[in-house]
Amino acid sequence: MFTASRVQAATYLLGVCLFSISFLVFLNSSISFVITDLLGQRKRVGDAVGTLGFADEVAALIACPFWGVLSDRIGVRAVCILAYAIIGLALSLLVQSTNVYPQLLLARLLFSVGAAAASTMVTAILPSMTASVSEVVDNDREEEDLVSSISSETTVTISNMRQQYFRVSPPLRDAPGAASPTRLAGIVGLTTGAGALLALGLFLPLPAQFQQHGVQPGQAITYSYYVVGTIAGLVAAACGFGLRHLNGEEGKGWHSVYIRSRLTEGTSDAVIIPYWRLLAQSFSLGFQSRLIGLGYLGGFVARASSVGISLFIPLYVNTYFNTAERCKFDRDDSLVDKSKCQAAYILAAELTGVSQLVALICAPIFGFLADRYRLYHVPLLGAAVAGIVGYVGFTMLEDPEIGGSGRRPWILIFVALIGLSQIGCIVCSLGLIGRGILGLEGSIAGSKRSLLYYSREGSSPENHCSLEPASDGSQNEAMHEENREDSALLGQDDANHQAKNHIKGSIAGIYSLAGGAGILLLTKLGGSLFDTTSHNAPFYMLAAFNATLLVFICIFTLVDILKLKLRS
């Protein structure tokens, strides 16, 4: 599964992936205690937590593309070091705050910047874990002709660019059993889920552990944040050691940040790709490459689904208990029957727990299935269908309680389907992005195209693992003509066949941007509709997101089938 070294793979899974979510879960779960126990604020705590969370998402939405583009210059290792160093610093500054605005808000924004870098690098590093050494070597040989004295990842020449885009060569294709970013994506989903459990099982109980030793609640929160911040610093150090010499990272470093000033003689026709062009190119790939486009859309749906599980299911349960007057308050806002509202907390935890448990178990299964059945995107299609059934079925229930008669036990099946849909979208979208970056095929027409190339070369797919440089001569010109004919019949699917390692960080940034957009759209619009229109509105929105994903998958499949018929 891995072509990286054991140390690199262990650092990626047990460092970058595991802790990319654990620190965020810890902060989200404990921030209200910082406000109440440390700052002493007892009123409007919900408003403060909501504002901090919204500001966090906005900052992440802006920071993710920035970190992605920056990693294409300085490398993913440097960004990982910065990410966890910033997280550690932010956690330490959070407990130094004396007020919510502006001190706690600024510290939370700093944390968001670091967390955005960590989550973006989960996607950006994945292709390097499975990219074969031969592919990287061949790509480096090609890039040597495109650059002079500076990193080949960000500089190309006009003449050689034309040769690169118009040459004919077999597309990259991973043979059965070869290292696959899709299978690895399943392991990534498993480790990120384990990271959330790590935060809940190890980090979150720290304040209680300190209090058992006689520490006051405010100081217990402070010490806990210091401990977790120190762990973040250790993770940064581990990334600096374990992510050295990654495939595809050659030539990147801090010297490339201001690369325009490093042009030397002999590069008069060089074209420097600025940051905004890298970002624009990565965004446009969503429309040019089906793999990357579906990856972006899948990331949008996956992140929105995570909010549906963690935010709107508990909110729905809480609202049900209050609407049904299961939680009764007297005039001084004290509970009349505390056991009833305790049941609401328990039910919300049970429903979200079942959903997350199913997601954790199914993550590696989706990785295997997505790698085995890739042409029709069957696993991603199944995840979309599961989401539609789960969310629509959830809204059709009379109440969310598990016990009782009638349709109530169906609630567990529906939340399980919701968790299945979430992890399916996460794993499949990560795999699609990884395969798109590596230039691996993902469409039926692309597979047919590969067979055409291999038949011309008179060899098997296993003998072609990298793009070959263009050659001169009439045979090459004839192949150019055949290439243009195939493109007319098979569509502009060549974007799927060209490796994009030089902009993998930018692609990861746009992928995170799409996920953040899904979160913001659902939290703001879904939350507003929840109050003004219907308590089921957020779940209808999520069903619509999954339906949109399903429609695009079906359209792409039908287009590929039609192209094959035209070709035959």
Side-chain angles (χ1 to χ4, degrees):
M1 182 180 296
F2 296 100
T3 55
S5 68
R6 293 181 179 180
V7 173
Q8 292 171 340
T11 304
Y12 173 60
L13 291 177
L14 302 180
V16 180
C17 297
L18 185 69
F19 290 99
S20 66
I21 189 67
S22 61
F23 295 128
L24 180 61
V25 171
F26 168 72
L27 180 62
N28 287 337
S29 301
S30 62
I31 190 66
S32 61
F33 296 98
V34 174
I35 296 174
T36 57
D37 296 346
L38 185 61
L39 301 184
Q41 179 174 322
R42 302 293 177 182
K43 296 182 179 180
R44 300 185 64 83
V45 176
D47 178 71
V49 170
T51 301
L52 292 173
F54 179 76
D56 181 285
E57 287 299 331
V58 172
L61 201 66
I62 299 173
C64 284
F66 165 78
W67 285 117
V69 173
L70 184 63
S71 70
D72 288 331
R73 293 287 180 88
I74 67 175
V76 294
R77 172 175 170 266
V79 172
C80 283
I81 296 173
L82 287 174
Y84 288 106
I86 291 173
I87 289 175
L89 176 63
L91 289 173
S92 300
L93 292 177
L94 272 163
V95 291
Q96 297 299 318
S97 304
T98 58
N99 54 59
V100 177
Y101 309 110
Q103 294 182 9
L104 191 62
L105 175 62
L106 292 176
R108 181 63 189 263
L109 291 176
L110 180 63
F111 177 89
S112 177
V113 170
S119 62
T120 302
M121 290 305 100
V122 171
T123 308
I125 298 176
L126 188 146
S128 297
M129 292 289 108
T130 56
S132 65
V133 177
S134 60
E135 290 173 7
V136 176
V137 171
D138 288 340
N139 287 338
D140 289 343
R141 288 174 180 173
E142 295 171 11
E143 288 163 354
E144 287 176 359
D145 296 332
L146 303 180
V147 300
S148 176
S149 76
I150 57 177
S151 170
S152 61
E153 301 291 349
T154 50
T155 308
V156 294
T157 60
I158 296 176
S159 59
N160 288 316
M161 182 187 292
R162 293 194 184 101
Q163 296 177 9
Q164 181 183 13
Y165 280 96
F166 287 99
R167 66 166 176 255
V168 178
S169 59
L172 291 171
R173 179 171 181 166
D174 50 341
S180 168
T182 307
R183 293 185 185 181
L184 178 57
I187 306 300
V188 170
L190 181 64
T191 53
T192 53
L197 295 179
L198 174 68
L200 297 175
L202 182 62
F203 295 164
L204 196 57
L206 283 176
Q209 296 293 329
F210 282 115
Q211 290 183 45
Q212 289 179 1
H213 290 80
V215 180
Q216 295 298 316
Q219 285 297 315
I221 284 288
T222 301
Y223 294 159
S224 300
Y225 270 66
Y226 285 157
V227 170
V228 178
T230 302
I231 294 174
L234 294 176
V235 175
C239 290
F241 172 78
L243 296 179
R244 295 177 299 174
H245 312 302
L246 277 175
N247 291 336
E249 293 295 295
E250 297 80 3
K252 296 182 181 180
W254 289 103
H255 62 276
S256 300
V257 174
Y258 301 104
I259 199 169
R260 184 180 297 274
S261 62
R262 301 181 68 84
L263 283 175
T264 57
E265 296 179 1
T267 58
S268 58
D269 62 339
V271 178
I272 305 300
I273 304 178
Y275 289 106
W276 70 268
R277 285 287 300 276
L278 291 173
L279 201 60
Q281 183 180 2
S282 302
F283 179 80
S284 64
L285 280 174
F287 302 94
Q288 299 171 6
S289 169
R290 295 179 186 177
L291 290 175
I292 295 178
L294 278 179
Y296 289 163
L297 185 57
F300 176 92
V301 176
R303 294 293 298 278
S305 297
S306 67
V307 174
I309 295 172
S310 62
L311 177 62
F312 284 108
I313 288 181
L315 178 61
Y316 184 87
V317 172
N318 184 34
T319 304
Y320 164 74
F321 271 77
N322 283 281
T323 303
E325 297 186 351
R326 301 286 295 277
C327 291
K328 295 183 179 180
F329 296 83
D330 56 20
R331 293 184 178 179
D332 62 354
D333 291 336
S334 61
L335 278 172
V336 176
D337 188 355
K338 295 183 179 180
S339 63
K340 296 298 183 181
C341 278
Q342 184 179 7
Y345 285 108
I346 294 175
L347 178 60
E350 288 176 344
L351 295 180
T352 55
V354 168
S355 182
Q356 297 292 2
L357 179 61
V358 170
L360 190 64
I361 294 173
C362 293
I365 298 175
F366 265 104
F368 173 78
L369 293 176
D371 181 64
R372 188 174 182 85
Y373 304 102
R374 61 180 61 179
L375 291 183
Y376 297 96
H377 306 293
V378 174
L380 184 59
L381 186 146
V385 172
I388 295 172
V389 175
Y391 288 115
V392 173
F394 188 91
T395 62
M396 296 176 65
L397 297 176
E398 295 179 358
D399 61 70
E401 292 189 83
I402 298 173
S405 60
R407 294 171 292 178
R408 290 173 182 174
W410 282 94
I411 187 69
L412 293 179
I413 297 177
F414 291 138
V415 295
L417 288 174
I418 290 172
L420 194 72
S421 172
Q422 179 205 19
I423 198 63
C425 290
I426 291 175
V427 171
C428 293
S429 62
L430 277 175
L432 289 170
I433 293 295
R435 285 164 52 199
I437 290 173
L438 294 177
L440 305 179
E441 297 177 13
S443 66
I444 305 170
S447 299
K448 178 70 175 179
R449 183 178 177 81
S450 297
L451 295 177
L452 291 174
Y453 278 122
Y454 298 140
S455 63
R456 289 171 190 162
E457 296 288 337
S459 57
S460 62
E462 287 76 7
N463 295 330
H464 295 84
C465 297
S466 61
L467 295 172
E468 297 294 336
S471 59
D472 297 326
S474 59
Q475 182 180 3
N476 192 40
E477 292 298 327
M479 293 180 71
H480 286 176
E481 290 299 325
E482 295 180 28
N483 180 42
R484 283 188 277 269
E485 292 176 4
D486 290 342
S487 297
L489 290 173
L490 299 178
Q492 301 300 320
D493 208 33
D494 285 343
N496 280 337
H497 308 319
Q498 297 174 356
K500 306 168 187 67
N501 266 314
H502 61 294
I503 56 170
K504 63 183 179 182
S506 303
I507 294 173
I510 298 298
Y511 174 77
S512 298
L513 177 67
I519 290 177
L520 285 181
L521 179 61
L522 185 67
T523 51
K524 298 306 294 181
L525 181 58
S528 177
L529 293 176
F530 184 93
D531 292 330
T532 59
T533 304
S534 170
H535 297 332
N536 293 324
F539 306 107
Y540 286 133
M541 287 182 61
L542 287 164
F545 292 163
N546 281 275
T548 302
L549 178 61
L550 177 64
V551 168
F552 273 96
I553 295 173
C554 293
I555 290 175
F556 290 159
T557 302
L558 290 175
V559 168
D560 282 334
I561 293 174
L562 290 175
K563 286 179 178 179
L564 279 181
K565 289 184 177 180
L566 289 174
R567 177 61 181 171
S568 61

